[in-house]
Amino acid sequence: EDSALSTSIQTLKKGRLNVLVGPTGSGKSTFADILMGLLKPAQGFVEVNGIKISKDTQISNKCIGYVPQEVNFISRNVYENIALGVSSDKVNRGRVELLCKAYNLHDKIVSNFEFGYETILGIEGAMLSGGQSQRLGLCRAMYKEPDFLILDEPTSAQDSLSSSMIWEELRKLSKDTLVVIISHEVGKIKSDDYVHY
C-alpha cells in the first residue's frame, strides 16, 4: 500500500521507515501538515490507497496518527490522555498499558505516580520529562492503530538508548503501517530505510 505525495514528486512505502531529512526551515513540518490534509499543496495532491486526502476527508482522522514535537495534555488521567477523544468508560485500559510497556513508560507510571494510571497529568504534563512526553505522544498516536503514522522529530528529547529503542520499534511497526519520520538524526538512519531529502 503506497501513498503518493503527487504523481510526479514522491511515493511513500510500507515495509521500511520513510525518513524526511532537511535543514531547519526547509519545510519538513509544513510537508507533514500537507500529508495530513491540514494544508493544501500548491500543486498536485496527496493520495492514500486511492483516496485523496484533504481537510474534508474523513479518512484523515481515522487512519492517520501524528506525533508532534510538543505533546499537549488534558486534565485527565493517563488512560484518557493516551486514548484521547475516547470516553473514560470505553478506554481499552489493557491496550494503554501494553503501549506504555512497549515505549518504556509503564515503570515510571506505576512507580512514580501516586495513583498509577489513574493519576491526573494536568495540562502542562509537569510530572513527565520531555522524553516521556514524546513517548506518551507516540502511545496516543498508536492507540487508534493508524494505517499511516507521522512523527515530527520523535526522539529529539530522548537519551541515546531510548532514541535507538524507539527507532527500532518503529522499524518493526513499518511492516504493517506506513511510517514517516521527520528527523535530523541522520546517524539513526539505516541503509534499508527510505530517505527523502
Side-chain angles (χ1 to χ4, degrees):
E1 296 178 49
D2 297 346
S3 295
L5 303 186
S6 80
T7 55
S8 61
I9 298 174
Q10 201 70 260
T11 298
L12 302 175
K13 299 180 180 181
K14 281 185 181 180
R16 304 180 195 175
L17 292 184
N18 294 271
V19 187
L20 307 183
V21 178
T24 301
S26 62
K28 299 186 302 297
S29 294
T30 300
F31 186 64
D33 288 341
I34 291 172
L35 285 177
M36 291 185 289
L38 300 176
L39 292 176
K40 184 178 179 180
Q43 296 180 14
F45 56 89
V46 178
E47 186 177 273
V48 178
N49 295 338
I51 300 175
K52 291 183 181 179
I53 300 299
S54 72
K55 287 188 287 188
D56 300 321
T57 310
Q58 289 184 343
I59 190 173
S60 62
N61 290 324
K62 292 182 177 179
C63 79
I64 297 177
Y66 176 58
V67 183
Q69 292 185 46
E70 298 293 332
V71 177
N72 295 317
F73 298 90
I74 58 173
S75 292
R76 298 288 188 275
N77 64 32
V78 177
Y79 290 117
E80 292 169 281
N81 265 280
I82 290 175
L84 192 64
V86 178
S87 61
S88 58
D89 60 323
K90 293 184 179 179
V91 172
N92 183 336
R93 297 185 171 208
R95 177 160 178 76
V96 168
E97 292 175 22
L98 282 174
L99 287 167
C100 288
K101 288 175 183 176
Y103 294 105
N104 198 25
L105 278 174
H106 179 76
D107 290 344
K108 162 77 175 180
I109 293 167
V110 298
S111 300
N112 296 10
F113 289 4
E114 184 178 1
F115 302 108
Y117 283 87
E118 297 290 351
T119 302
I120 305 299
L121 291 182
I123 294 174
E124 300 299 325
M127 291 178 288
L128 296 168
S129 68
Q132 290 162 350
S133 295
Q134 284 186 320
R135 295 200 295 278
L136 186 144
L138 183 54
C139 292
R140 177 185 287 170
M142 290 308 303
Y143 179 82
K144 61 181 180 178
E145 299 180 277
D147 297 314
F148 183 10
L149 180 63
I150 302 171
L151 307 103
D152 192 350
E153 300 286 358
T155 56
S156 60
Q158 308 293 334
D159 59 40
S160 179
L161 182 62
S162 295
S163 177
S164 297
M165 178 272 291
I166 289 172
W167 277 75
E168 289 310 310
E169 286 297 319
L170 291 171
R171 284 190 177 91
K172 295 175 187 175
L173 181 67
S174 69
K175 295 177 182 177
D176 300 307
T177 303
L178 179 59
V179 179
V180 177
I181 299 177
I182 297 168
S183 180
H184 287 96
E185 292 190 280
V186 178
K188 293 288 189 294
I189 297 171
K190 292 189 174 180
S191 59
D192 58 350
D193 295 330
Y194 295 116
V195 183
H196 311 277
Y197 293 93

